[in-house]
Amino acid sequence: MLQSVKESHRLLRAWQLALLRFAVTLDESDRLNVAALAAELDRPSGRRDPDGSLHFFRRTSSQLCAAISGQLQDADAILDCFCKQIGEPRLRLAFAAAIGMTHPDPAPSQAQPKRRPDLFKGLPARRSASL
């Protein structure tokens, strides 16, 4: 099971990198590579899907490649949404640069504790323990 998750994660990253490469080159062979990786991701557990019901990555890849190529009217919104979904900050910045996005959203950061200097204002100071 753990191996399957690692393999899926590796394929997802390869798909994202393939989309980055297509965004840079706009080459047909790179678009076909994106499509091949998408088909692999849509295969459940590496098996062939006889009815072809799983098609999320193939459909998304087609839409993203068309947006990257400038063939869609709402290309900016589609690419912005995809860019926000990329978890790796360096890949997100590289993809944003490749598509010409001027200000990509910063990486989602982990919640930082709020620091309020007045949090304990009005409470009596602790006495130091003497031994």
Side-chain angles (χ1 to χ4, degrees):
M1 173 100 173
L2 183 59
Q3 186 67 18
S4 176
V5 171
K6 283 184 179 182
E7 180 67 19
S8 295
H9 186 266
R10 186 187 65 75
L11 273 173
L12 181 62
R13 184 168 171 86
W15 176 71
Q16 291 172 335
L17 287 168
L19 281 164
L20 171 61
R21 183 178 173 107
F22 176 70
V24 170
T25 66
L26 297 176
D27 190 46
E28 181 65 15
S29 64
D30 290 327
R31 188 191 65 74
L32 292 173
N33 188 36
V34 170
L37 286 165
E40 186 70 24
L41 280 163
D42 280 338
R43 248 183 240 146
S45 303
R47 296 184 301 245
R48 297 225 182 256
D49 188 13
D51 62 357
S53 62
L54 297 176
H55 57 274
F56 172 80
F57 286 99
R58 286 178 280 183
R59 182 186 41 189
T60 302
S61 296
S62 176
Q63 187 179 37
L64 286 169
C65 288
I68 290 168
S69 299
Q71 299 171 354
L72 299 177
Q73 289 181 352
D74 57 347
D76 290 338
I78 292 169
L79 295 172
D80 182 51
C81 182
F82 176 71
C83 195
K84 288 178 182 177
Q85 294 174 358
I86 299 174
E88 174 66 34
R90 294 182 304 164
L91 182 56
R92 180 176 34 271
L93 289 172
F95 187 80
I99 61 173
M101 186 183 296
T102 54
H103 299 290
D105 286 341
S109 61
Q110 295 177 351
Q112 297 290 326
K114 293 183 180 181
R115 296 183 183 165
R116 296 179 40 199
D118 62 335
L119 183 62
F120 298 105
K121 186 177 179 180
L123 294 176
R126 285 187 175 176
R127 294 185 198 154
S128 60
S130 301
L131 293 178

